[in-house]
Amino acid sequence: MSTDPKPGADHPHEVENLDNHECWRLLRSVSVGRLAVWVDDHPDIFPINYKVDHGTLVFRTADGTKLQAATGDTPVAVEADGVDADNGIAWSVVIKGQAAPVKNQQEVLDTVGLLLFPWQAGKKEHFVRITPDTVTGRRFKVTPPLTWWTPLDDATRSGYE
């Protein structure tokens, strides 16, 4: 863990920067993230379900924009996050790196063994491995919803009433 103060009652606005080990532990604790890619002349984001595999992330997809953009020459990013509802502590982890199709026969067989089942129905025959260049994460206390109010909230609401 980082030496930064843990977020909580004593440090409600502190952000804890997470070490590499904690980032990977958190990535293994969830299975859904957002894949950011560059498509033509703009960024795009796709939800993916993934598995952690020896310091990489693996996801399945079909032919299409996501596959083409992810496995091109441009690096990708994946963000996954979560929140502990009991203590109100949230976390976010981002990996940035290069994605490549899994093609080697033994690697395909090993990847199938990850039991990676897409949520959306359809033919998802392509496995893609993201090898990160950087892994960063942070943890913070979620602000109570009542503190989200701003004077603009009333002005916006009064326009609808």
Side-chain angles (χ1 to χ4, degrees), residues 92-146:
S92 179
V93 173
V94 174
I95 71 165
K96 297 175 185 173
Q98 200 66 43
V102 176
K103 293 194 177 211
N104 173 291
Q105 184 177 2
Q106 185 57 51
E107 193 178 3
V108 170
L109 291 173
D110 292 344
T111 305
V112 169
L114 292 174
L115 302 177
L116 182 56
F117 302 111
W119 285 3
Q120 184 183 26
K123 190 174 182 182
K124 311 278 186 180
E125 61 189 19
H126 300 282
F127 287 83
V128 178
R129 181 179 306 281
I130 301 170
T131 302
D133 295 321
T134 63
V135 179
T136 58
R138 61 192 200 126
R139 186 175 1 244
F140 52 92
K141 179 82 174 160
V142 175
T143 304
L146 292 178

Side-chain angles (χ1 to χ4, degrees), residues 1-4 6-7 16-30 50 52 57 80-82 84 87 89-95 135-140:
M1 288 271 201
S2 166
T3 57
D4 296 341
K6 282 200 181 287
E16 177 189 8
N17 292 312
L18 304 174
D19 65 25
N20 196 286
H21 175 76
E22 181 67 359
C23 287
W24 285 106
R25 186 188 74 76
L26 291 168
L27 285 170
R28 282 189 297 275
S29 74
V30 296
Y50 66 85
V52 171
L57 293 185
D81 47 40
D84 183 334
N87 64 20
I89 302 293
W91 60 270
S92 179
V93 173
V94 174
I95 71 165
V135 179
T136 58
R138 61 192 200 126
R139 186 175 1 244
F140 52 92

